[in-house]
């Protein structure tokens, strides 16, 4: 249930409604937009007593949210969220660009690639220090040493850092080193981990699970939001289907649907969605046309030597070409790189 306050209602009127809602035993989620304030009424209690709030002078309307997700729903905010990652904005006219290798492999590797992606036009450097690998025998990441190398890459290039968390116990380290914390597809419904990043307030790059429906994905996002962290960026990275010629199937309609159902920005990962280098650029272009607010692309200058995901990694010159192509599509849909 949301209570939409009339445009121009005073702080006092808003607080009066908030305290009435709290008195009835519900939680409140306040969304102060440019135009008007929306009071989200949260909790599992019956919300019908809230309906009578429609007769209060400062209240414009009381609307039930029928979807299973609430805080991430578009209605809850009434406008698109702009999320700031240390000066890089997601959800605005400019497209946010994240690029880098799948894994941090050495100081030299990550610093070298950071310079290359920066030169091509990326804003944020990606690189896993803790890797959620399908096999326990695969490279698991350099852990804290990898975070230190990421920091060095940031100091040299000015790029912001996004890196994945796989265990709650690493939270303090991740908060210290990263500008944005990635929750990978395999942890999309790891609710304890979602609550922990929700408490951290760091921007979260939240990837859709490989078998998660859009409704389940947004309910999972509500776990982060309901802990008080509004800085959630959704990421479509392909889902499991019967098709086995690509690593996953990029669900582009989910991009349009998420931007319809939710106020949160949506990023597309054409690398994990396809698993095939040659398909990354066409899918990046398609993502732009579908309305994506950003892209995350794996880039490696020696993909044949990469510890993980070499076959889907663009070489730096291919990445540069990809951005050139994408910028044409972005302009056609009223966005820019
Ligand atoms: C990654 O970004 O390297 C990764 C493991 O992605 P996903 O969680 O989407 O598989
Ligand atoms: Mn990867």
């Amino acid at each position: 249930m949301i209570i939409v306050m009339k445009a121009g209602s005073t702080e006092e009127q808003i607080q009066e409604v908030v305290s009435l809602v709290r008195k009835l035993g519900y939680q409140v989620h306040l969304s102060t937009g440019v135009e008007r304030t929306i009071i989200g009424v949260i909790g599992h209690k019956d919300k019908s007593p809230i309906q009578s709030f429609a007769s209060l002078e400062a209240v414009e309307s009381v609307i039930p949210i029928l979807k299973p997700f609430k805080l991430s729903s578009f209605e809850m905010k009434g406008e698109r969220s702009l999320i700031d990652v240390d000066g890089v904005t997601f959800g605005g006219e400019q497209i946010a660009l994240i690029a880098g290798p799948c894994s941090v492999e050495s100081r030299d590797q990550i610093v070298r690639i950071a310079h290359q992606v920066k030169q091509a036009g990326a804003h944020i450097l990606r690189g896993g220090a803790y890797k959620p690998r399908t096999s326990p025998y695969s490279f698991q990441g350099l852990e804290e040493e990898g975070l230190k190398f990421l920091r060095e890459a940031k100091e040299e290039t000015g790029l912001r850092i996004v890196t994945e968390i796989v265990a709650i116990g690493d939270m303090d380290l991740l908060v210290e080193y990263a500008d944005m914390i990635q929750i990978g597809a395999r942890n999309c419904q790891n609710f304890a981990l979602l609550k922990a990043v929700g408490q951290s307030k760091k921007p979260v790059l939240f990837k859709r699970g490989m078998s998660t429906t859009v409704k389940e994905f947004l309910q999972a996002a509500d776990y982060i939001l309901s802990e008080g962290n509004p800085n959630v960026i959704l990421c479509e990275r392909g889902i499991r289907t019967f098709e086995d010629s690509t690593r996953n199937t990029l669900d582009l309609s989910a991009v349009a649907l998420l931007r319809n159902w939710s106020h949160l920005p949506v990023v597309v990962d054409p690398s994990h969605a396809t698993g095939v280098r040659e398909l990354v650029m066409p899918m990046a272009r398609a993502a732009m046309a579908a309305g994506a607010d950003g892209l995350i692309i794996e880039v490696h200058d020696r993909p044949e030597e990469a510890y993980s995901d070499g076959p889907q990694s663009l070489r730096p010159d291919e990445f540069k070409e990809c951005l050139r192509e994408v910028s044409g599509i972005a302009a056609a849909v009223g966005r820019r790189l």
Side-chain angles (χ1 to χ4, degrees), residues 88-107:
V88 178
T89 306
F90 287 75
E93 189 189 326
Q94 188 172 14
I95 301 302
L97 299 169
I98 307 172
C102 181
S103 303
V104 180
E105 300 168 6
S106 67
R107 184 195 175 279

Side-chain angles (χ1 to χ4, degrees), residues 102 126 131 164 182 184-186 207 237 272 298:
C102 181
R126 63 149 292 146
K131 294 302 299 177
E164 182 166 353
Q182 178 172 324
R186 289 154 192 82
K207 289 189 150 197
R237 46 75 73 203
H272 293 87
E298 285 187 341

